[in-house]
Amino acid sequence: MADPSSYRPKPGQIPDSPGVYRFRDEHRRVIYVGKAKSLRQRLASYFQDLAGLHPRTRTMVTTAASVEWTVVSTEVEALQLEYSWIKEYDPRFNVKYRDDKSYPYLAVTLNEEFPRVQVMRGQKKKGVRYFGPYSHAWAIRDTVDLLLRVFPVRTCSAGVFRNAARTGRPCLLGYIGKCSAPCVGRVTPEEHRELADEFCDFMAGRTGTYIRRLEKDMAIAAEDMEYERAARLRDDIGALRRAMEKSAVVLADATDADLIAVAEDELEAAVQIFHVRGGRVRGQRGWVTDKVEAVDTAGLVEHALQQLYGEETGDAVPKEVLVPALPEDVDAVSQWLGDRRGSQVSLRIPQRGDKKNLMETVGRNAQQALVLHKTKRASDLTTRSRALEEIAEALGLESAPLRIECFDISHLQGQDVVASMVVFEDGLPRKSEYRRFQIRTFEGQDDVRSMHEVVSRRFRRYLAEKEQTGEWDLAADDAGSDAGGGEGTATGAHASTTPPGDTAGALDDPTALDDTAVPDDGRPKKFAYPPQLVVVDGGRPQVAAARRALDELGIDDVAVCGLAKRLEEVWLPDEEDPVVLPRSSEGLYLLQRVRDTAHDFAIRYQRSKRHKRIRTGPLDAVPGLGDARKQALIKHFGSVKRLRQATVDQICEVPGFGRKTAEAVAVALARTAPSAPAVNTATGEIIEEEAATPQESSARQ
């Protein structure tokens, strides 16, 4: 525990101006980011008597070992810089909201020639118009199904669209009038884009214009005795009204606003957001967070605004944002929101009327979300704690393994040999620390040797980073000649970071150990934290290989076990018999989940490498030939077969090809020439034309 007075800045060093400050721990990792109108006043508040600080603030300042700051011109700049640094450094003492689910959006791909309406999740893409989020994907599909009667916009995938254009026949929606069928030219690109724009206008809340226009057209059709057209327009009006009824009017003045409510206790907080467009609730989402810093309701609201609008621009930021408490720097936050929208944004607390009543509804949703989250977490936490305790007891560990790393090897008949490492902390997966390895020090199938190599590489990197940050020196001073210690200290690590016969430079790309320089940028390092338990997918041989790798590095405070698939037996180093956990054991279930996660992660990586290898074509053997020139060749000659028959002079006629490159292409194609004609094994027919290569496929698209 550090003494804050040991790194307190001297009087007069801190400027009395707006800025952003960062607290770092003894290993230079950023643990807290904050902003202030006056850096001098704000930072002085951290260096008062520890007894007067909030417990969470006290923990932060005693964990920190230094503080630094950056001066900015305005409070708005401070807000923007704080948001950027929180995203970049992910400080452990800052409030970070996490979504309680992945919300679906209704998306219109206006960045395509023929915009498509579809359900989308995840990160937003540029050029796509989003509506929502919605609670359920089926609610989006029901709404779209009603609106396609009036706005028959394309909803098919790119593959279906290309196939319909090739065959000249639209899909079923085109035949029943729920798609304008731009794939077969029933409408021009301009007419289809106009339909997509009208669809977006309706979804954005401008509904009255279309209802009145259709009613007028229906009346004219009835007067002209075009009764079939009038009936169709009547049904369209009914469809639009049913779509509107799915989201009831909550604000009579057709307001565009977001309402944010917070429910909190001493440890956690839940945030609920209602998105109101055109007076109707168009979307809802919720977040939960641990209160790892001393923060009040106003601070929680400010953090929520940063996360909600930090990546948004234009109409995605509404004209009005209603909150339960105003942030401390309300003018700066309002200006920041206005800059993102491009016009003024009102940030206020509703006082009366419909908006206050709706805010109370949002608040009740937040309270229920917090209660539900606590109920689930209590159950999950109890189960996870029991599982970790059972593992510790079965393996003879001194304490529960709060960090578990699992390794698995994957290959296909000895080709494309890869490995995976997955990380579980407190019984939950930590996907940001998953790692992939390529086995390059030998060829063929040898799971035991592969396991030894991967475990060695992972822990050599850990020791290298530990030495670079100075953590090794501190541990060595504390431990003396002992190898024990909760931080993963290792005796003799300096002398044995590279075992004999191993070549660090020949290892894989993402985890190569030939570059052990650790940048001093405050970010968490890839292999900075050691596990308490290493799990390998396999039995005694794999466990022995992993233990031998750790012993060679002088690491004796990391437990090792293996989980064999056949009987789900747990193997320990130097033990003749396995440990058999009960089938109903929560500990066995957690080990199975860790093992299966590593297995799936390794298989996905192995398949991606194999797929990439299989899809290589004969032109890939030509050095210096990029994708653009490969496509130019295929477009010029039409196929690889015709290109193979071409002379060097004919290849030189392609723009961008000189004689030297043309000769290289001809030589590469001659080396890969087929020895016999291709035959269709189902019919026995000789295939005259070569199957399309990846270059041909991409060139024709």
Side-chain angles (χ1 to χ4, degrees):
M1 179 179 293
D3 183 0
S5 61
S6 64
Y7 63 89
R8 178 175 184 171
K10 296 179 180 179
Q13 281 187 335
I14 308 176
D16 188 17
S17 57
V20 183
Y21 54 91
R22 292 176 289 185
F23 282 88
R24 294 178 181 263
D25 64 10
E26 58 182 350
H27 307 300
R28 300 293 296 164
R29 291 186 284 258
V30 176
I31 62 173
Y32 185 74
V33 174
K35 63 172 176 54
K37 290 182 181 179
S38 170
L39 286 169
R40 180 177 301 170
Q41 295 180 13
R42 177 61 59 83
L43 289 178
S45 66
Y46 290 103
F47 297 102
Q48 55 180 289
D49 184 9
L50 291 178
L53 294 177
H54 190 282
R56 295 187 182 90
T57 306
R58 187 188 313 136
T59 303
M60 189 273 292
V61 297
T62 53
T63 304
S66 63
V67 62
E68 57 193 38
W69 55 85
T70 300
V71 176
V72 297
S73 302
T74 64
E75 298 168 27
V76 177
E77 290 183 19
L79 186 70
Q80 293 171 335
L81 185 58
E82 179 196 32
Y83 172 72
S84 300
W85 278 356
I86 289 176
K87 283 196 64 179
E88 179 179 359
Y89 295 115
D90 191 23
R92 58 175 293 198
F93 286 102
N94 277 94
V95 164
K96 295 179 287 291
Y97 290 106
R98 53 188 183 273
D99 281 342
D100 55 4
K101 63 184 76 174
S102 176
Y103 290 94
Y105 285 82
L106 172 59
V108 184
T109 58
L110 297 177
N111 55 349
E112 299 182 6
E113 181 183 7
F114 296 101
R116 175 190 176 192
V117 175
Q118 60 181 318
V119 178
M120 276 192 177
R121 298 178 186 263
Q123 188 175 6
K124 293 185 177 180
K125 300 178 181 178
K126 187 176 181 180
V128 180
R129 184 82 179 272
Y130 291 89
F131 302 95
Y134 290 80
S135 300
H136 304 283
W138 56 261
I140 303 178
R141 296 188 179 97
D142 285 351
T143 300
V144 170
D145 187 62
L146 291 170
L147 295 181
L148 289 180
R149 284 186 54 92
V150 187
F151 310 108
V153 186
R154 167 197 163 206
T155 58
C156 60
S157 65
V160 173
F161 187 88
R162 287 196 300 268
N163 185 60
R166 180 177 58 82
T167 60
R169 296 194 303 272
C171 62
L172 177 62
L173 293 179
Y175 283 111
I176 65 176
K178 288 193 174 182
C179 179
S180 55
C183 53
V184 294
R186 289 186 185 174
V187 295
T188 64
E190 293 76 16
E191 292 171 338
H192 186 267
R193 181 165 292 276
E194 184 178 353
L195 281 174
D197 291 337
E198 290 178 349
F199 180 92
C200 292
D201 288 342
F202 186 89
M203 289 301 303
R206 294 182 280 276
T207 58
T209 303
Y210 296 101
I211 296 290
R212 289 191 295 270
R213 188 182 71 184
L214 291 178
E215 288 176 341
K216 182 178 179 181
D217 291 345
M218 182 180 66
I220 293 174
E223 290 177 1
D224 295 341
M225 293 185 290
E226 297 179 4
Y227 300 120
E228 290 185 1
R229 180 168 179 269
R232 187 169 62 253
L233 291 171
R234 177 202 60 200
D235 294 341
D236 290 347
I237 293 170
L240 291 181
R241 285 179 172 161
R242 288 195 299 275
M244 293 168 60
E245 289 170 359
K246 288 182 176 292
S247 54
V249 175
V250 292
L251 298 177
D253 55 355
T255 300
D256 290 347
D258 285 350
L259 291 88
I260 302 174
V262 178
E264 58 181 309
D265 59 16
E266 287 296 322
L267 299 176
E268 295 176 307
V271 175
Q272 282 286 309
I273 302 102
F274 276 25
H275 302 277
V276 179
R277 300 293 183 268
R280 301 172 183 271
V281 178
R282 296 293 186 182
Q284 175 187 357
R285 64 167 63 173
W287 296 327
V288 291
T289 183
D290 295 322
K291 296 173 71 172
V292 293
E293 61 175 297
V295 61
D296 56 8
T297 303
L300 291 170
V301 168
E302 182 174 324
H303 287 301
L305 292 172
Q306 286 179 315
Q307 177 151 336
L308 187 59
Y309 304 115
E311 306 294 333
E312 304 291 355
T313 57
D315 292 339
V317 182
K319 297 178 181 178
E320 191 172 4
V321 180
L322 305 178
V323 295
L326 293 175
E328 179 183 356
D329 303 327
V330 61
D331 294 335
V333 175
S334 298
Q335 184 179 344
W336 176 69
L337 292 173
D339 292 343
R340 304 208 67 81
R341 175 177 170 80
S343 61
Q344 186 175 359
V345 174
S346 172
L347 179 63
R348 63 188 185 88
I349 303 173
Q351 301 294 333
R352 63 183 69 86
D354 293 341
K355 293 178 181 178
K356 183 179 180 181
N357 294 336
L358 182 57
M359 177 62 82
E360 292 174 353
T361 301
V362 182
R364 287 194 295 271
N365 278 266
Q367 190 64 47
Q368 292 174 2
L370 181 61
V371 172
L372 181 61
H373 170 73
K374 282 189 165 295
T375 302
K376 288 182 178 179
R377 181 164 184 175
S379 174
D380 293 343
L381 183 61
T382 302
T383 302
R384 297 200 310 270
S385 299
R386 186 166 64 250
L388 294 173
E389 290 172 359
E390 290 179 0
I391 292 173
E393 182 179 357
L395 304 184
L397 306 180
E398 295 182 358
S399 60
L402 299 183
R403 180 182 172 102
I404 301 174
E405 293 181 2
C406 184
F407 296 85
D408 185 31
I409 309 297
S410 180
H411 57 83
L412 181 64
Q413 296 179 347
Q415 289 188 317
D416 301 318
V417 185
V418 299
S420 67
M421 181 189 91
V422 301
V423 179
F424 275 61
E425 289 189 350
D426 295 330
L428 295 175
R430 190 173 178 84
K431 295 184 179 181
S432 62
E433 299 198 13
Y434 288 9
R435 297 290 177 261
R436 306 183 303 186
F437 300 80
Q438 298 181 46
I439 307 301
R440 293 179 175 173
T441 58
F442 65 93
E443 297 290 340
Q445 176 181 348
D446 191 337
D447 289 357
V448 175
R449 188 175 174 186
S450 299
M451 186 64 70
H452 177 274
E453 175 187 322
V454 171
V455 174
S456 297
R457 287 158 60 180
R458 183 265 180 268
F459 283 94
R460 281 206 309 274
R461 182 62 176 266
Y462 158 63
L463 293 175
E465 292 185 352
K466 193 173 183 181
E467 184 175 0
Q468 289 280 340
T469 59
E471 191 174 353
W472 161 256
D473 297 330
L474 294 173
D477 292 341
D478 293 339
S481 61
D482 293 333
E487 293 298 321
T489 58
T491 303
H494 286 78
S496 57
T497 53
T498 306
D502 200 353
T503 306
L507 305 183
D508 81 303
D509 303 335
T511 54
L513 301 177
D514 50 336
D515 181 11
T516 56
V518 180
D520 183 15
D521 56 6
R523 299 180 182 86
K525 306 303 183 292
K526 287 185 177 180
F527 296 95
Y529 304 106
Q532 285 79 48
L533 175 63
V534 167
V535 180
V536 299
D537 185 3
R540 288 182 61 186
Q542 287 82 0
V543 173
R547 183 69 265 174
R548 187 173 69 256
L550 294 176
D551 291 341
E552 290 171 353
L553 296 173
I555 298 175
D556 59 4
D557 60 345
V558 176
V560 179
C561 76
L563 186 61
K565 290 188 180 70
R566 188 170 64 89
L567 298 175
E568 301 295 359
E569 302 164 329
V570 180
W571 289 91
L572 299 176
D574 304 324
E575 295 289 339
E576 294 294 330
D577 299 316
V579 177
V580 179
L581 294 174
R583 289 291 177 176
S584 59
S585 166
E586 291 292 342
L588 177 60
Y589 174 76
L590 178 57
L591 289 176
Q592 289 173 330
R593 185 183 175 201
V594 172
R595 188 268 318 277
D596 293 343
T597 303
H599 183 68
D600 294 342
F601 192 49
I603 284 180
R604 287 200 302 271
Y605 184 37
Q606 193 272 336
R607 286 175 177 170
S608 68
K609 284 180 60 63
R610 175 162 50 92
H611 181 71
K612 187 182 299 184
R613 175 173 55 82
I614 291 175
R615 285 186 61 83
T616 57
L619 294 178
D620 292 330
V622 181
L625 193 64
D627 291 338
R629 293 205 290 174
K630 291 176 187 176
Q631 293 183 14
L633 283 173
I634 298 302
K635 285 184 178 180
H636 184 84
F637 291 100
S639 70
V640 173
K641 179 180 180 179
R642 295 192 182 97
L643 174 59
R644 184 175 278 120
Q645 296 170 351
T647 64
V648 173
D649 292 334
Q650 291 173 330
I651 297 176
C652 289
E653 295 175 0
V654 181
F657 281 83
R659 188 164 192 85
K660 185 176 180 181
T661 305
E663 290 174 351
V665 170
V667 169
L669 292 176
R671 289 174 178 170
T672 59
S675 58
V679 178
N680 186 324
T681 57
T683 63
E685 178 186 3
I686 295 178
I687 302 174
E688 295 292 338
E689 189 69 28
E690 292 185 27
T693 66
Q695 290 90 349
E696 292 180 65
S697 301
S698 59
R700 293 170 182 171
Q701 291 178 0

